[in-house]
Amino acid sequence: MVTVDIDMAQYKDLGPSMPEIRRRGLERIAQDTQKTVDKLSPIDEGVLHKWFIHKLTDDEAVIKSPAHYVGPVNYGHSQRPGRFIPGTWKKGKFRYDPKAEGGMVLKRSFVPGQHFIERSIEDVKPRIDEHFKVVISEVLE
């Protein structure tokens, strides 16, 4: 799940249009964040690249991935050295296959996280004001 905090205090003087500006601005930021986290997700196939806007309200946008392994990929995870994982190698990439005769043996006890969620948020932050400027322009015209 991705969370981006936005200080709306600077936009409080926009009168009765404020709720629409807030909702539409948040929607634009959520779409930008969803595309960015999808682009920066380190796994090149599978469901980690299927981020979506799960919830959008006047106050909050929740962006999720259906992949159950988002946390370990982003933050890192431990593993048991010496453990055999069945699978095959194709073009330098390992594919888990429980029926494979071959496989690999884990060597490291910890795999560092990729921190792609944090990098995505940092990538989107400089564009937040621009998103609101576009929405303000559209709503007030």
Side-chain angles (χ1 to χ4, degrees), residues 8 11 14 17-31 127-141:
M8 297 298 292
Y11 303 107
L14 296 172
S17 299
M18 184 58 194
E20 182 181 0
I21 291 168
R22 182 182 187 133
R23 182 189 55 75
R24 287 176 57 183
L26 188 58
E27 183 176 15
R28 284 180 61 96
I29 294 163
Q31 289 169 346
R127 297 191 295 272
I128 289 174
D129 281 342
E130 188 58 37
H131 285 303
F132 275 106
K133 287 176 185 174
V134 168
V135 169
I136 290 167
S137 167
E138 291 172 356
V139 170
L140 296 181
E141 285 183 351

Side-chain angles (χ1 to χ4, degrees), residues 30-58:
Q31 289 169 346
D32 187 3
T33 304
Q34 180 263 324
K35 288 176 187 171
T36 303
V37 76
D38 193 61
K39 179 179 73 175
L40 294 180
S41 294
I43 297 175
D44 61 356
E45 56 187 53
V47 295
L48 192 56
H49 279 284
K50 297 188 184 326
W51 289 85
F52 62 96
I53 299 172
H54 172 72
K55 177 181 173 186
L56 184 63
T57 68
D58 290 344

Side-chain angles (χ1 to χ4, degrees), residues 67-78 110-116:
H68 66 279
Y69 49 86
V70 169
V73 172
N74 190 63
Y75 302 112
H77 61 89
S78 60
F110 186 77
V111 176
Q114 299 291 313
H115 301 285
F116 63 97

Side-chain angles (χ1 to χ4, degrees), residues 78-85 104-109 111:
S78 60
Q79 58 187 19
R80 198 172 68 233
R83 180 175 168 219
F84 177 76
I85 307 294
M104 69 174 173
V105 176
L106 301 178
K107 294 182 180 179
R108 295 188 287 172
S109 60
V111 176

